[in-house]
Amino acid sequence: MILYHKKDLSVRNLEPEDAVLLVKWLSDPVVLEYYEGRDRPHDPAMVQEHFYEDTPEGMIRAIVCYGSEDIGYVQFYPIDDDERAEYGFTDFAGSIYGMDQFIGEPRLWNKGVGSQLVRETVIFLLEIKRADKIVMDPQSWNLRALRVYEKNGFVRKKLLPEHEWHEGEYKDCWLIEYCGT
């Protein structure tokens, strides 16, 4: 089922047969450098466990298509009470969504596709899911991703020291929040 579509970009629900795509993308060291880490190549069992067996309530997992090609992955979800506390949103009563994504075809990097994906996902979350806030927590060293997010209306709000395990060590991340473009 198509969740949203704009020009050449569409996002559809993740299906069981998409596991082969996730294995392909998440075993590519070029992709893993930025998503999951090169020390965590995914085999079919890992993909099954991480993307199909343990889906938190409200999370939507989806495949990104560009033209007629499946090129990446996106997920979005209402953040839970633990994340609200960690991010400093315990007193905020509105709906807060988190999102994560990657383009699994490196030949499409630096061509505006990721930026279009972020923009269209934000629109979907605001208009369809009625999100009051949208947040992400990219690693602080991933400057290309941060530029894409900031270009699309996200603002750095809080440094999260040693927040995410990546390639053998805990890395700092930025809590970023959508504030409009």
Side-chain angles (χ1 to χ4, degrees):
M1 178 178 108
I2 300 289
L3 297 169
Y4 46 101
H5 175 83
K6 179 80 177 236
K7 297 183 184 173
D8 289 337
L9 182 96
S10 60
V11 173
R12 63 173 176 77
N13 282 323
L14 181 69
E15 299 292 340
E17 58 270 17
D18 295 323
V20 68
L21 291 169
L22 292 170
V23 170
K24 173 189 166 200
W25 296 328
L26 294 175
S27 61
D28 180 342
V30 175
V31 174
L32 287 171
E33 181 178 356
Y34 298 97
Y35 195 91
E36 291 292 330
R38 291 168 288 196
D39 58 344
R40 289 183 39 87
H42 283 52
D43 60 19
M46 279 180 80
V47 164
Q48 192 64 36
E49 178 184 343
H50 293 141
F51 293 91
Y52 293 95
E53 291 175 6
D54 184 25
T55 301
E57 186 176 337
M59 177 176 279
I60 294 177
R61 298 178 188 269
I63 293 294
V64 180
C65 309
Y66 193 73
S68 61
E69 181 183 6
D70 296 328
I71 58 123
Y73 173 81
V74 62
Q75 65 185 22
F76 37 88
Y77 47 92
I79 68 167
D80 62 23
D81 290 341
D82 290 340
E83 286 175 300
R84 281 178 179 262
E86 181 179 9
Y87 295 162
F89 294 130
T90 51
D91 294 334
F92 183 78
S95 168
I96 307 173
Y97 271 79
M99 59 186 269
D100 305 290
Q101 60 282 313
F102 67 84
I103 302 299
E105 300 293 337
R107 66 184 161 66
L108 294 175
W109 292 359
N110 300 314
K111 298 190 182 307
V113 178
S115 194
Q116 185 181 355
L117 171 62
V118 170
R119 185 172 45 255
E120 295 308 323
T121 303
V122 164
I123 291 168
F124 177 81
L125 291 174
L126 293 172
E127 293 180 359
I128 305 302
K129 292 296 189 178
R130 299 290 182 214
D132 296 305
K133 284 187 186 293
I134 303 168
V135 296
M136 289 191 274
D137 57 0
Q139 292 183 18
S140 61
W141 62 269
N142 193 345
L143 300 179
R144 183 177 62 219
L146 284 163
R147 277 193 302 275
V148 167
Y149 303 147
E150 290 169 341
K151 180 170 79 170
N152 283 284
F154 283 85
V155 175
R156 298 177 201 199
K157 291 293 191 172
K158 177 181 177 182
L159 186 64
L160 305 168
E162 298 180 348
H163 182 69
E164 186 171 280
W165 186 259
H166 187 82
E167 298 191 345
E169 65 182 300
Y170 282 101
K171 303 276 186 161
D172 295 348
C173 294
W174 276 104
L175 170 65
I176 61 174
E177 179 182 337
Y178 179 74
C179 293
T181 53

